[in-house]
Amino acid sequence: MMGGARPDGPDIVTQALPDVSRETLARLEALVALLVRWQRIKNLVAPSTLDTVWQRHVLDSLQIVRLAPKARRWIDLGSGAGFPGIVVATSLAEADGAAIHLVEANGRKSAFLRTAARELGLPVTVHPARIEDVAGRLEPAFDVVTARALASLPKLLALMQPLMRPHTQALLHKGADFEAEVAEARTGFAFDLVEHESLSDPAARILQIGGIVPLSADRNRS
């Protein structure tokens, strides 16, 4: 818990993000309730994180929407139990043109995502497949690509590259060792980077990335 003072709950979100609408907050409460019910038999998230689900999962996911306020077409890679993708969808449920694609190969997790999208009325498409199999066949030009607790940054850049267009940005959750991951990624890729301090963990960062180019290709053009 941030500062060890506040109990975990919806207030964690509203204090950090005061502009969150009542409608979004209601959908988030319904999502958490659904997660808790499914968790009893499906083990969707680490059990140790349930006591801090609003900070560790909900706030951590929702904060990225403020970094791309005009984005409507999102794709979340390795969605797991829907963090951040299904949480992003709760905030865009009433936005014109919103379309959030969730890629998750695990059967029980993709089933949860479909149920959550249906019950909460979210503009979500679930792809129960491997990322490599989906990235090459999706036609939409996405505004944002997201991933959380999925892979190291070099591997993520390779996975995301087929989905990136000149206007597309990636918003990636990274922990306290993000600097080492960025340094390693720069040995294989050129990319634009803006670091944002996480609202849920001051030691972590949201990496906003665009212009991904493999260095071998970049050198061949020079």
Side-chain angles (χ1 to χ4, degrees), residues 10 41 43 72 113-114 126 129 142 145 155 193 204 210 219:
I41 56 174
N43 196 32
R72 294 295 178 266
L113 296 174
R114 287 193 296 268
V126 178
F142 294 101
V145 181
K155 184 173 182 180
L193 171 65
R219 288 168 180 154

Side-chain angles (χ1 to χ4, degrees), residues 40-157:
R40 296 189 185 110
I41 56 174
K42 296 294 186 181
N43 196 32
L44 299 172
V45 297
S48 61
T49 68
L50 275 185
D51 288 341
T52 53
V53 65
W54 284 92
Q55 179 182 327
R56 289 282 299 275
H57 295 305
V58 178
L59 174 59
D60 194 43
S61 298
L62 191 62
Q63 64 176 316
I64 64 175
V65 177
R66 69 194 170 100
L67 303 179
K70 296 182 179 179
R72 294 295 178 266
R73 302 190 66 83
W74 296 63
I75 184 166
D76 184 34
L77 305 181
S79 293
F83 306 112
I86 207 83
V87 172
V88 169
T90 67
S91 72
L92 298 177
E94 297 165 5
D96 290 341
I100 295 83
H101 292 251
L102 311 179
V103 184
E104 175 53 56
N106 181 283
R108 71 179 187 278
K109 293 179 180 178
S110 61
F112 172 76
L113 296 174
R114 287 193 296 268
T115 300
R118 182 179 66 252
E119 293 193 6
L120 301 180
L122 303 179
V124 160
T125 300
V126 178
H127 302 273
R130 296 170 67 248
I131 296 166
E132 296 88 341
D133 295 335
V134 172
R137 61 178 173 81
L138 283 179
E139 293 295 331
F142 294 101
D143 301 315
V144 179
V145 181
T146 63
R148 178 176 180 261
L150 177 62
S152 67
L153 186 57
K155 184 173 182 180
L156 280 177
L157 296 184

Side-chain angles (χ1 to χ4, degrees), residues 24-40:
T24 294
L25 197 62
R27 284 188 287 267
L28 290 170
E29 289 178 309
L31 173 63
V32 169
L34 184 65
L35 174 68
V36 170
R37 291 201 303 273
W38 276 61
Q39 178 73 9
R40 296 189 185 110

